[in-house]
Amino acid sequence: MDLDTVRTFVAAADAGQFQQAAAELAVTQQAVSKRIAALERNLGVRLFTRTPRGAELTIDGQAFLPHVRELLRVAERAVASVRTGRRPLRVDMIASRTAASGLMRGFHRAHPEIELDVVMLFDIETALAAIRSGAIDASFRAVAVPGRPLPEDIESVRVLDEPLQLLTGPAHALASARSVTVAQLAGHRIWMPGIVPGTEWAAYYDDLVAEFGLTIEATGPNFGSDALLDTIADTPALATFMGEQTRLVWPAGHGLRRIPVTDPTPVYPHSLLWHRDNPHPALATLRAHLAATAAGHDAVGTWAPDWVIPR
Amino acid sequence: MDLDTVRTFVAAADAGQFQQAAAELAVTQQAVSKRIAALERNLGVRLFTRTPRGAELTIDGQAFLPHVRELLRVAERAVASVRTGRRPLRVDMIASRTAASGLMRGFHRAHPEIELDVVMLFDIETALAAIRSGAIDASFRAVAVPGRPLPEDIESVRVLDEPLQLLTGPAHALASARSVTVAQLAGHRIWMPGIVPGTEWAAYYDDLVAEFGLTIEATGPNFGSDALLDTIADTPALATFMGEQTRLVWPAGHGLRRIPVTDPTPVYPHSLLWHRDNPHPALATLRAHLAATAAGHDAVGTWAPDWVIPR
DNA sequence: CCTGGCCACAACCAACGGTTGTACTCATAG
DNA sequence: CTATGAGTACAACCGTTGGTTGTGGCCAGG
């Protein structure tokens, strides 16, 4: 199916005749006739009843029309998403299903008229390059690369500290605990196959391990969260970390437990990064929204690496 | 833009390389390369960074991808809407923004997994023919054509009596009334340019006029509800009827009034019609939903033509 | 009965989009 | 360092698609 053909169908349906539709589309009436005939042949149904005074929609055509209108709207949004200048606000985040995703959902609810696109870049270095080049407008990241400050043209604000929780199967030694301290985790095997070496995400866990003497294994291929959850559920000796706000497709009957971690509570520090000179109007709206909604967190009893930007 | 090209883009993005995408699509690698190149040329952005090991999405490509996935979903729904056999439940109603539309919205909320299409046919005769031919699965109509009973293979149930209200501008003589009786309406000009002669909708108002001696003018072209509302708001001598549940784009600052009508309250009798042998599974669901939700209306003090099917 | 308006069919032609063949690039293994 | 393999791009070729012009048929209205 070709979108030009679809546009022709809509034009003919609106005009009620092929001739006028042809004039609007700047083609001949015969071209419209052929396009509609081809569309009808492909679909296997008649869309118009031809009369000597024009063409009117059949019932099938009536049912088809709103769907193709939607199709053209979606196509327009798709093209707009890569249009240079005046494109939707493009935000990078570390992964879907994290707290950053929740923040963006909240922003979308508050401002449904603002078009958004979400991308997931490799690490903060890539994100910074994309911000400076204008390829993205903002990024939710833990500002990492210990010892290297942010470039001067990049601004940032720490928007959310997301507490980590321990995720275990029902047979795990800590499965029945209402909460665990970091000290209790020493000696337990914590498995995080999703960690990609070289990212600020990995640097965070490196620091966590160094600070509290934990055992985190990032070995093995990452088969996705479904496989991870299955393994955690079935393996008493394994647990994993997970953001408090991480949304999972929670497998029923697996008996998985989410257990808060305390003394201190490791928090993943999400910051918003953007370019000082970015003129996108929606960026200011996003910053204002985050400033208004994400304020007032409690830093007492939490831990984050010392290289992250301060709150 | 061509949907085959879009499918090629999605396949290449999923595979991470053109070669494998080409194999899945049963074309040569060169064809995929040309399609992607053409798409990039049309959009004016690069979607993939080519490497000797494959091709990975650029940031623009990442932003574009979810939009085109949605595009393909919508296209599939569009095609499904005219597929013969196993197509969405197709329901005819007299107009959008009426009570029937509200009933279908409620059904959709209760069963969001059921695909629906709405069409608006000319009159009940056309609807009956469409039901018998299988072109539609059900119709919300006032069962009219006085004196002619429904064919034996058509079943029906009266699902909702929608009270009519008087709509006036602020300067109308009845504008400040909390409610009006039908007797009070005699002598006032009621303007309904939307009525199409020959329909059961027109038959209803003919009966209403005959029964209570009202003055209803259906003259003049129908420029849509916006123009109707504007005229009603500005013309003290004109009023119109409107279903109690009719949803309007209510113009601000026009001072329009909706006034209940009593002694008796004219109600528009919406019935659901369907073919005795229609096997569409969603039809049974719809009937059950309507039976469960639309029950228990009060017939006392209301009026409807005597040719409609009994409640 | 003629005319005007509109759609469909036929013939023709350009351009798009596919295939095959080939060159180039880079990672990896020997 | 070189050979190999995997992957992409470019060029040439060609059939099919989709456009145009020309023409005929149909029906409503004057």
Side-chain angles (χ1 to χ4, degrees):
Chain A
M1 191 153 49
D2 170 39
L3 290 189
D4 274 339
T5 305
V6 168
R7 268 181 271 271
T8 305
F9 168 74
V10 172
D14 288 343
Q17 59 181 46
F18 291 2
Q19 197 113 273
Q20 188 181 330
E24 289 169 12
L25 299 169
V27 294
T28 60
Q29 164 267 316
Q30 289 88 336
V32 171
S33 178
K34 277 175 91 169
R35 284 184 189 175
I36 300 290
L39 183 60
E40 289 176 328
R41 182 160 30 84
N42 288 335
L43 293 172
V45 298
R46 207 137 180 80
L47 297 173
F48 289 96
T49 54
R50 279 75 162 172
T51 74
R53 314 259 304 264
E56 58 186 21
L57 286 173
T58 63
I59 295 176
D60 279 316
Q62 275 195 52
F64 190 57
L65 182 57
H67 291 280
V68 296
R69 283 196 202 276
E70 172 70 7
L71 188 70
L72 294 181
R73 274 192 296 270
V74 173
E76 194 175 350
R77 279 203 296 273
V79 173
S81 74
V82 294
R83 183 173 45 196
T84 55
R86 287 189 3 267
R87 65 160 154 62
L89 190 73
R90 197 180 286 175
V91 178
D92 157 65
M93 57 180 59
I94 191 164
S96 61
R97 316 185 320 268
T98 62
S101 174
L103 291 174
M104 287 310 290
R105 271 195 295 274
F107 177 64
H108 179 62
R109 265 196 302 276
H111 299 275
E113 78 286 0
I114 294 182
E115 300 278 331
L116 295 174
D117 281 314
V118 171
V119 297
M120 273 125 66
L121 303 181
F122 178 70
D123 67 354
I124 191 168
E125 286 302 305
T126 314
L128 287 176
I131 288 175
R132 305 183 90 171
S133 75
I136 65 173
D137 299 304
S139 177
F140 283 97
R141 293 273 161 183
V143 179
V145 193
R148 192 191 311 180
L150 281 178
E152 195 194 342
D153 54 347
I154 305 291
E155 300 190 12
S156 70
V157 61
R158 192 155 156 191
V159 291
L160 181 63
D161 285 359
E162 184 181 16
L164 294 193
Q165 295 182 329
L166 194 72
L167 188 78
T168 75
H172 193 275
L174 298 170
S176 55
R178 300 213 40 175
S179 73
V180 298
T181 65
V182 173
Q184 284 179 280
L185 294 177
H188 288 284
R189 293 173 61 200
I190 294 171
W191 188 46
M192 302 206 67
I195 289 184
V196 184
T199 64
E200 84 280 7
W201 172 248
Y204 174 88
Y205 282 100
D206 287 346
D207 254 47
L208 186 60
V209 163
E211 182 91 12
F212 300 105
L214 303 185
T215 308
I216 294 186
E217 306 169 27
T219 57
N222 178 20
F223 290 119
S225 73
D226 282 359
L228 171 64
L229 295 183
D230 277 349
T231 305
I232 293 291
D234 295 341
T235 313
L238 283 186
T240 191
F241 279 135
M242 182 148 294
E244 176 188 270
Q245 299 184 29
T246 301
R247 299 188 166 202
L248 294 176
V249 197
W250 202 248
H254 276 42
L256 286 166
R257 316 288 164 88
R258 299 178 89 137
I259 305 168
V261 180
T262 60
D263 298 308
T265 298
V267 295
Y268 195 81
H270 298 272
S271 294
L272 183 75
L273 308 173
W274 69 92
H275 195 281
R276 194 182 48 194
D277 302 330
N278 187 315
H280 201 302
L283 177 58
T285 313
L286 174 62
R287 287 170 49 197
H289 174 84
L290 292 175
T293 60
H297 285 285
D298 190 5
V300 178
T302 66
W303 172 91
D306 54 11
W307 39 258
V308 306
I309 62 172
R311 31 168 74 244
Chain B
M1 193 153 47
D2 171 37
L3 290 190
D4 275 338
T5 305
V6 168
R7 266 181 273 270
T8 304
F9 167 74
V10 172
D14 288 343
Q17 60 181 49
F18 291 3
Q19 198 115 268
Q20 188 181 329
E24 289 170 13
L25 299 169
V27 294
T28 60
Q29 165 266 317
Q30 290 87 337
V32 171
S33 179
K34 277 175 91 170
R35 285 185 188 175
I36 300 290
L39 184 59
E40 289 176 327
R41 183 160 29 84
N42 287 335
L43 293 173
V45 297
R46 209 139 178 78
L47 296 173
F48 289 97
T49 55
R50 279 74 162 174
T51 75
R53 314 260 304 264
E56 56 186 20
L57 287 173
T58 61
I59 295 177
D60 280 315
Q62 277 195 52
F64 191 55
L65 182 57
H67 291 280
V68 295
R69 283 196 203 277
E70 172 70 9
L71 187 69
L72 294 180
R73 275 193 294 271
V74 173
E76 195 175 347
R77 279 203 296 274
V79 172
S81 74
V82 294
R83 183 173 46 196
T84 55
R86 290 190 2 268
R87 67 160 153 61
L89 189 73
R90 196 179 288 175
V91 179
D92 157 66
M93 56 180 59
I94 191 164
S96 61
R97 316 185 320 267
T98 62
S101 173
L103 290 173
M104 288 310 292
R105 269 196 296 274
F107 177 66
H108 179 63
R109 264 196 302 275
H111 300 275
E113 78 285 0
I114 294 182
E115 299 278 333
L116 295 175
D117 280 314
V118 171
V119 297
M120 274 124 66
L121 303 181
F122 178 71
D123 67 354
I124 191 168
E125 284 303 305
T126 314
L128 286 176
I131 289 175
R132 305 184 90 172
S133 75
I136 65 173
D137 300 303
S139 178
F140 284 97
R141 293 272 161 184
V143 179
V145 191
R148 191 192 312 180
L150 281 177
E152 196 193 341
D153 54 347
I154 305 291
E155 300 190 11
S156 69
V157 60
R158 191 154 155 192
V159 291
L160 182 63
D161 285 358
E162 184 182 15
L164 294 193
Q165 296 181 330
L166 193 71
L167 188 78
T168 74
H172 193 274
L174 298 170
S176 55
R178 300 214 39 177
S179 74
V180 298
T181 66
V182 174
Q184 285 179 277
L185 294 178
H188 287 284
R189 293 173 61 198
I190 294 171
W191 189 47
M192 302 205 68
I195 289 183
V196 184
T199 64
E200 84 280 6
W201 173 247
Y204 174 88
Y205 282 101
D206 286 347
D207 254 47
L208 186 61
V209 163
E211 183 88 14
F212 300 104
L214 303 184
T215 308
I216 294 186
E217 305 169 28
T219 56
N222 178 19
F223 289 120
S225 73
D226 281 1
L228 170 64
L229 294 183
D230 276 350
T231 305
I232 292 292
D234 295 341
T235 314
L238 283 186
T240 192
F241 278 134
M242 181 147 299
E244 176 188 88
Q245 298 183 31
T246 300
R247 299 188 167 203
L248 294 175
V249 198
W250 201 249
H254 276 42
L256 286 166
R257 316 287 164 89
R258 298 177 88 135
I259 304 169
V261 180
T262 61
D263 298 308
T265 299
V267 294
Y268 195 81
H270 298 274
S271 294
L272 184 75
L273 308 173
W274 69 93
H275 194 280
R276 194 180 50 192
D277 302 330
N278 186 316
H280 200 303
L283 178 58
T285 313
L286 173 62
R287 286 170 49 197
H289 174 83
L290 292 175
T293 60
H297 285 284
D298 190 5
V300 177
T302 66
W303 173 91
D306 54 12
W307 39 259
V308 305
I309 62 172
R311 33 169 69 241

